[in-house]
Structure formats: structure tokens, C-alpha cells
PDB file of all heavy atoms in Angstrom:
ATOM      1  N   GLN A  15       0.617  10.236 -15.833  1.00  0.00           N
ATOM      2  CA  GLN A  15       0.708  11.513 -16.560  1.00  0.00           C
ATOM      3  C   GLN A  15       2.118  12.098 -16.481  1.00  0.00           C
ATOM      4  O   GLN A  15       2.604  12.701 -17.446  1.00  0.00           O
ATOM      5  CB  GLN A  15      -0.308  12.523 -16.002  1.00  0.00           C
ATOM      6  CG  GLN A  15      -1.762  12.195 -16.298  1.00  0.00           C
ATOM      7  CD  GLN A  15      -2.085  12.306 -17.780  1.00  0.00           C
ATOM      8  OE1 GLN A  15      -1.390  12.947 -18.549  1.00  0.00           O
ATOM      9  NE2 GLN A  15      -3.180  11.647 -18.186  1.00  0.00           N
ATOM     10  N   ILE A  16       2.768  11.914 -15.347  1.00  0.00           N
ATOM     11  CA  ILE A  16       4.154  12.384 -15.204  1.00  0.00           C
ATOM     12  C   ILE A  16       5.041  11.676 -16.222  1.00  0.00           C
ATOM     13  O   ILE A  16       5.863  12.300 -16.898  1.00  0.00           O
ATOM     14  CB  ILE A  16       4.663  12.138 -13.770  1.00  0.00           C
ATOM     15  CG1 ILE A  16       3.946  13.083 -12.783  1.00  0.00           C
ATOM     16  CG2 ILE A  16       6.179  12.363 -13.689  1.00  0.00           C
ATOM     17  CD1 ILE A  16       4.238  12.799 -11.330  1.00  0.00           C
ATOM     18  N   LEU A  17       4.878  10.350 -16.330  1.00  0.00           N
ATOM     19  CA  LEU A  17       5.661   9.578 -17.302  1.00  0.00           C
ATOM     20  C   LEU A  17       5.357  10.033 -18.729  1.00  0.00           C
ATOM     21  O   LEU A  17       6.267  10.139 -19.571  1.00  0.00           O
ATOM     22  CB  LEU A  17       5.360   8.085 -17.151  1.00  0.00           C
ATOM     23  CG  LEU A  17       5.806   7.436 -15.830  1.00  0.00           C
ATOM     24  CD1 LEU A  17       5.345   5.989 -15.778  1.00  0.00           C
ATOM     25  CD2 LEU A  17       7.321   7.518 -15.679  1.00  0.00           C
ATOM     26  N   PHE A  18       4.059  10.292 -18.990  1.00  0.00           N
ATOM     27  CA  PHE A  18       3.655  10.751 -20.328  1.00  0.00           C
ATOM     28  C   PHE A  18       4.319  12.085 -20.660  1.00  0.00           C
ATOM     29  O   PHE A  18       4.819  12.291 -21.774  1.00  0.00           O
ATOM     30  CB  PHE A  18       2.131  10.893 -20.400  1.00  0.00           C
ATOM     31  CG  PHE A  18       1.667  11.637 -21.624  1.00  0.00           C
ATOM     32  CD1 PHE A  18       1.602  11.007 -22.854  1.00  0.00           C
ATOM     33  CD2 PHE A  18       1.301  12.980 -21.542  1.00  0.00           C
ATOM     34  CE1 PHE A  18       1.187  11.712 -23.984  1.00  0.00           C
ATOM     35  CE2 PHE A  18       0.880  13.673 -22.664  1.00  0.00           C
ATOM     36  CZ  PHE A  18       0.822  13.033 -23.887  1.00  0.00           C
ATOM     37  N   CYS A  19       4.324  13.007 -19.686  1.00  0.00           N
ATOM     38  CA  CYS A  19       4.920  14.334 -19.913  1.00  0.00           C
ATOM     39  C   CYS A  19       6.422  14.229 -20.176  1.00  0.00           C
ATOM     40  O   CYS A  19       6.966  14.912 -21.051  1.00  0.00           O
ATOM     41  CB  CYS A  19       4.655  15.250 -18.723  1.00  0.00           C
ATOM     42  SG  CYS A  19       2.930  15.775 -18.580  1.00  0.00           S
ATOM     43  N   HIS A  20       7.100  13.369 -19.413  1.00  0.00           N
ATOM     44  CA  HIS A  20       8.536  13.163 -19.638  1.00  0.00           C
ATOM     45  C   HIS A  20       8.782  12.607 -21.044  1.00  0.00           C
ATOM     46  O   HIS A  20       9.714  13.030 -21.735  1.00  0.00           O
ATOM     47  CB  HIS A  20       9.104  12.205 -18.591  1.00  0.00           C
ATOM     48  CG  HIS A  20       9.418  12.865 -17.274  1.00  0.00           C
ATOM     49  ND1 HIS A  20      10.333  13.892 -17.150  1.00  0.00           N
ATOM     50  CD2 HIS A  20       8.925  12.638 -16.021  1.00  0.00           C
ATOM     51  CE1 HIS A  20      10.414  14.277 -15.889  1.00  0.00           C
ATOM     52  NE2 HIS A  20       9.559  13.531 -15.176  1.00  0.00           N
ATOM     53  N   SER A  21       7.941  11.657 -21.441  1.00  0.00           N
ATOM     54  CA  SER A  21       8.068  11.066 -22.774  1.00  0.00           C
ATOM     55  C   SER A  21       7.824  12.108 -23.858  1.00  0.00           C
ATOM     56  O   SER A  21       8.530  12.153 -24.870  1.00  0.00           O
ATOM     57  CB  SER A  21       7.070   9.911 -22.922  1.00  0.00           C
ATOM     58  OG  SER A  21       7.102   9.386 -24.235  1.00  0.00           O
ATOM     59  N   ARG A  22       6.797  12.946 -23.614  1.00  0.00           N
ATOM     60  CA  ARG A  22       6.461  13.985 -24.584  1.00  0.00           C
ATOM     61  C   ARG A  22       7.591  15.005 -24.703  1.00  0.00           C
ATOM     62  O   ARG A  22       7.915  15.467 -25.801  1.00  0.00           O
ATOM     63  CB  ARG A  22       5.155  14.674 -24.162  1.00  0.00           C
ATOM     64  CG  ARG A  22       4.662  15.742 -25.124  1.00  0.00           C
ATOM     65  CD  ARG A  22       4.391  15.177 -26.481  1.00  0.00           C
ATOM     66  NE  ARG A  22       3.895  16.202 -27.388  1.00  0.00           N
ATOM     67  CZ  ARG A  22       4.030  16.168 -28.700  1.00  0.00           C
ATOM     68  NH1 ARG A  22       4.651  15.145 -29.277  1.00  0.00           N
ATOM     69  NH2 ARG A  22       3.544  17.122 -29.453  1.00  0.00           N
ATOM     70  N   ILE A  23       8.204  15.344 -23.558  1.00  0.00           N
ATOM     71  CA  ILE A  23       9.333  16.285 -23.568  1.00  0.00           C
ATOM     72  C   ILE A  23      10.490  15.717 -24.387  1.00  0.00           C
ATOM     73  O   ILE A  23      11.101  16.411 -25.204  1.00  0.00           O
ATOM     74  CB  ILE A  23       9.789  16.603 -22.132  1.00  0.00           C
ATOM     75  CG1 ILE A  23       8.753  17.507 -21.438  1.00  0.00           C
ATOM     76  CG2 ILE A  23      11.154  17.303 -22.133  1.00  0.00           C
ATOM     77  CD1 ILE A  23       9.016  17.744 -19.974  1.00  0.00           C
ATOM     78  N   SER A  24      10.789  14.433 -24.174  1.00  0.00           N
ATOM     79  CA  SER A  24      11.863  13.778 -24.932  1.00  0.00           C
ATOM     80  C   SER A  24      11.560  13.803 -26.427  1.00  0.00           C
ATOM     81  O   SER A  24      12.453  14.049 -27.263  1.00  0.00           O
ATOM     82  CB  SER A  24      12.038  12.330 -24.462  1.00  0.00           C
ATOM     83  OG  SER A  24      12.451  12.289 -23.115  1.00  0.00           O
ATOM     84  N   GLU A  25      10.300  13.567 -26.764  1.00  0.00           N
ATOM     85  CA  GLU A  25       9.887  13.576 -28.169  1.00  0.00           C
ATOM     86  C   GLU A  25      10.061  14.959 -28.786  1.00  0.00           C
ATOM     87  O   GLU A  25      10.592  15.099 -29.895  1.00  0.00           O
ATOM     88  CB  GLU A  25       8.431  13.134 -28.277  1.00  0.00           C
ATOM     89  CG  GLU A  25       7.906  13.050 -29.701  1.00  0.00           C
ATOM     90  CD  GLU A  25       6.434  12.653 -29.758  1.00  0.00           C
ATOM     91  OE1 GLU A  25       5.918  12.181 -28.725  1.00  0.00           O
ATOM     92  OE2 GLU A  25       5.826  12.820 -30.819  1.00  0.00           O
ATOM     93  N   LEU A  26       9.624  15.986 -28.031  1.00  0.00           N
ATOM     94  CA  LEU A  26       9.735  17.354 -28.529  1.00  0.00           C
ATOM     95  C   LEU A  26      11.199  17.782 -28.649  1.00  0.00           C
ATOM     96  O   LEU A  26      11.572  18.507 -29.585  1.00  0.00           O
ATOM     97  CB  LEU A  26       8.981  18.315 -27.600  1.00  0.00           C
ATOM     98  CG  LEU A  26       7.458  18.207 -27.632  1.00  0.00           C
ATOM     99  CD1 LEU A  26       6.840  19.099 -26.561  1.00  0.00           C
ATOM    100  CD2 LEU A  26       6.910  18.585 -29.009  1.00  0.00           C
ATOM    101  N   GLU A  27      12.027  17.352 -27.691  1.00  0.00           N
ATOM    102  CA  GLU A  27      13.456  17.682 -27.755  1.00  0.00           C
ATOM    103  C   GLU A  27      14.105  17.016 -28.964  1.00  0.00           C
ATOM    104  O   GLU A  27      14.966  17.617 -29.619  1.00  0.00           O
ATOM    105  CB  GLU A  27      14.151  17.227 -26.470  1.00  0.00           C
ATOM    106  CG  GLU A  27      13.834  18.121 -25.270  1.00  0.00           C
ATOM    107  CD  GLU A  27      14.463  17.617 -23.983  1.00  0.00           C
ATOM    108  OE1 GLU A  27      14.857  16.429 -23.932  1.00  0.00           O
ATOM    109  OE2 GLU A  27      14.552  18.406 -23.025  1.00  0.00           O
ATOM    110  N   THR A  28      13.680  15.793 -29.262  1.00  0.00           N
ATOM    111  CA  THR A  28      14.207  15.093 -30.446  1.00  0.00           C
ATOM    112  C   THR A  28      13.803  15.827 -31.717  1.00  0.00           C
ATOM    113  O   THR A  28      14.621  16.012 -32.632  1.00  0.00           O
ATOM    114  CB  THR A  28      13.673  13.649 -30.497  1.00  0.00           C
ATOM    115  OG1 THR A  28      14.086  12.945 -29.324  1.00  0.00           O
ATOM    116  CG2 THR A  28      14.190  12.926 -31.735  1.00  0.00           C
ATOM    117  N   ILE A  29      12.533  16.248 -31.764  1.00  0.00           N
ATOM    118  CA  ILE A  29      12.045  17.001 -32.932  1.00  0.00           C
ATOM    119  C   ILE A  29      12.799  18.316 -33.071  1.00  0.00           C
ATOM    120  O   ILE A  29      13.213  18.704 -34.170  1.00  0.00           O
ATOM    121  CB  ILE A  29      10.528  17.257 -32.810  1.00  0.00           C
ATOM    122  CG1 ILE A  29       9.751  15.939 -32.901  1.00  0.00           C
ATOM    123  CG2 ILE A  29      10.062  18.237 -33.889  1.00  0.00           C
ATOM    124  CD1 ILE A  29       8.272  16.070 -32.604  1.00  0.00           C
ATOM    125  N   ALA A  30      12.995  19.007 -31.916  1.00  0.00           N
ATOM    126  CA  ALA A  30      13.694  20.294 -31.932  1.00  0.00           C
ATOM    127  C   ALA A  30      15.134  20.122 -32.394  1.00  0.00           C
ATOM    128  O   ALA A  30      15.655  20.933 -33.169  1.00  0.00           O
ATOM    129  CB  ALA A  30      13.660  20.928 -30.540  1.00  0.00           C
ATOM    130  N   GLU A  31      15.777  19.043 -31.924  1.00  0.00           N
ATOM    131  CA  GLU A  31      17.164  18.783 -32.326  1.00  0.00           C
ATOM    132  C   GLU A  31      17.242  18.480 -33.819  1.00  0.00           C
ATOM    133  O   GLU A  31      18.154  18.950 -34.515  1.00  0.00           O
ATOM    134  CB  GLU A  31      17.719  17.601 -31.519  1.00  0.00           C
ATOM    135  CG  GLU A  31      19.129  17.183 -31.900  1.00  0.00           C
ATOM    136  CD  GLU A  31      20.166  18.262 -31.661  1.00  0.00           C
ATOM    137  OE1 GLU A  31      19.882  19.212 -30.894  1.00  0.00           O
ATOM    138  OE2 GLU A  31      21.258  18.166 -32.252  1.00  0.00           O
ATOM    139  N   LYS A  32      16.272  17.710 -34.309  1.00  0.00           N
ATOM    140  CA  LYS A  32      16.244  17.395 -35.736  1.00  0.00           C
ATOM    141  C   LYS A  32      16.038  18.659 -36.561  1.00  0.00           C
ATOM    142  O   LYS A  32      16.707  18.862 -37.592  1.00  0.00           O
ATOM    143  CB  LYS A  32      15.112  16.403 -36.019  1.00  0.00           C
ATOM    144  CG  LYS A  32      15.061  15.949 -37.475  1.00  0.00           C
ATOM    145  CD  LYS A  32      13.935  14.947 -37.697  1.00  0.00           C
ATOM    146  CE  LYS A  32      13.862  14.515 -39.164  1.00  0.00           C
ATOM    147  NZ  LYS A  32      12.759  13.550 -39.397  1.00  0.00           N
ATOM    148  N   GLU A  33      15.120  19.518 -36.107  1.00  0.00           N
ATOM    149  CA  GLU A  33      14.870  20.771 -36.819  1.00  0.00           C
ATOM    150  C   GLU A  33      16.111  21.664 -36.789  1.00  0.00           C
ATOM    151  O   GLU A  33      16.423  22.340 -37.772  1.00  0.00           O
ATOM    152  CB  GLU A  33      13.680  21.497 -36.194  1.00  0.00           C
ATOM    153  CG  GLU A  33      12.341  20.810 -36.461  1.00  0.00           C
ATOM    154  CD  GLU A  33      11.183  21.510 -35.758  1.00  0.00           C
ATOM    155  OE1 GLU A  33      11.454  22.381 -34.896  1.00  0.00           O
ATOM    156  OE2 GLU A  33      10.025  21.178 -36.063  1.00  0.00           O
ATOM    157  N   ARG A  34      16.805  21.665 -35.635  1.00  0.00           N
ATOM    158  CA  ARG A  34      18.026  22.459 -35.518  1.00  0.00           C
ATOM    159  C   ARG A  34      19.086  21.965 -36.496  1.00  0.00           C
ATOM    160  O   ARG A  34      19.741  22.763 -37.185  1.00  0.00           O
ATOM    161  CB  ARG A  34      18.570  22.386 -34.090  1.00  0.00           C
ATOM    162  CG  ARG A  34      19.794  23.267 -33.826  1.00  0.00           C
ATOM    163  CD  ARG A  34      20.401  22.978 -32.479  1.00  0.00           C
ATOM    164  NE  ARG A  34      20.959  21.642 -32.422  1.00  0.00           N
ATOM    165  CZ  ARG A  34      22.139  21.314 -32.935  1.00  0.00           C
ATOM    166  NH1 ARG A  34      22.882  22.213 -33.556  1.00  0.00           N
ATOM    167  NH2 ARG A  34      22.576  20.071 -32.846  1.00  0.00           N
ATOM    168  N   GLN A  35      19.243  20.646 -36.575  1.00  0.00           N
ATOM    169  CA  GLN A  35      20.222  20.071 -37.493  1.00  0.00           C
ATOM    170  C   GLN A  35      19.854  20.360 -38.942  1.00  0.00           C
ATOM    171  O   GLN A  35      20.722  20.661 -39.773  1.00  0.00           O
ATOM    172  CB  GLN A  35      20.330  18.557 -37.264  1.00  0.00           C
ATOM    173  CG  GLN A  35      20.966  18.183 -35.929  1.00  0.00           C
ATOM    174  CD  GLN A  35      20.993  16.688 -35.707  1.00  0.00           C
ATOM    175  OE1 GLN A  35      20.448  15.905 -36.486  1.00  0.00           O
ATOM    176  NE2 GLN A  35      21.637  16.261 -34.615  1.00  0.00           N
ATOM    177  N   GLU A  36      18.546  20.257 -39.246  1.00  0.00           N
ATOM    178  CA  GLU A  36      18.092  20.549 -40.609  1.00  0.00           C
ATOM    179  C   GLU A  36      18.345  22.005 -40.955  1.00  0.00           C
ATOM    180  O   GLU A  36      18.747  22.327 -42.079  1.00  0.00           O
ATOM    181  CB  GLU A  36      16.600  20.224 -40.744  1.00  0.00           C
ATOM    182  CG  GLU A  36      16.295  18.734 -40.749  1.00  0.00           C
ATOM    183  CD  GLU A  36      14.807  18.446 -40.795  1.00  0.00           C
ATOM    184  OE1 GLU A  36      14.013  19.408 -40.632  1.00  0.00           O
ATOM    185  OE2 GLU A  36      14.431  17.270 -40.983  1.00  0.00           O
ATOM    186  N   GLN A  37      18.099  22.896 -39.983  1.00  0.00           N
ATOM    187  CA  GLN A  37      18.335  24.320 -40.203  1.00  0.00           C
ATOM    188  C   GLN A  37      19.818  24.594 -40.416  1.00  0.00           C
ATOM    189  O   GLN A  37      20.198  25.377 -41.309  1.00  0.00           O
ATOM    190  CB  GLN A  37      17.818  25.134 -39.004  1.00  0.00           C
ATOM    191  CG  GLN A  37      17.968  26.641 -39.152  1.00  0.00           C
ATOM    192  CD  GLN A  37      17.190  27.200 -40.321  1.00  0.00           C
ATOM    193  OE1 GLN A  37      16.162  26.656 -40.710  1.00  0.00           O
ATOM    194  NE2 GLN A  37      17.668  28.288 -40.894  1.00  0.00           N
ATOM    195  N   GLU A  38      20.650  23.950 -39.600  1.00  0.00           N
ATOM    196  CA  GLU A  38      22.095  24.106 -39.755  1.00  0.00           C
ATOM    197  C   GLU A  38      22.545  23.606 -41.123  1.00  0.00           C
ATOM    198  O   GLU A  38      23.413  24.205 -41.762  1.00  0.00           O
ATOM    199  CB  GLU A  38      22.839  23.347 -38.652  1.00  0.00           C
ATOM    200  CG  GLU A  38      22.768  24.024 -37.291  1.00  0.00           C
ATOM    201  CD  GLU A  38      23.575  23.279 -36.241  1.00  0.00           C
ATOM    202  OE1 GLU A  38      24.050  22.158 -36.551  1.00  0.00           O
ATOM    203  OE2 GLU A  38      23.723  23.801 -35.127  1.00  0.00           O
TER     204      GLU A  38
END
């Protein structure tokens, strides 16, 4: 579960970065 959470965080950060770039 720890590994899953780390993976999920990375995924969400990637999505957030993509959304930030799209917004910019």
C-alpha cells in the first residue's frame, strides 16, 4: 500500500503539472 500511495502521488503530481502547463 505504501508503494501504491507513492505511485498514486506521482501520478497526481504528473496530472497537476500537466494541468498547470495547460493553464499556463
Side-chain angles (χ1 to χ4, degrees):
Q15 290 293 340
I16 290 172
L17 294 176
F18 167 79
C19 289
H20 279 299
S21 176
R22 182 60 179 154
I23 288 173
S24 296
E25 182 182 345
L26 290 174
E27 286 177 342
T28 300
I29 293 172
E31 177 63 18
K32 184 179 179 181
E33 289 177 348
R34 184 189 66 79
Q35 291 177 354
E36 288 176 350
Q37 182 62 29
E38 286 183 352

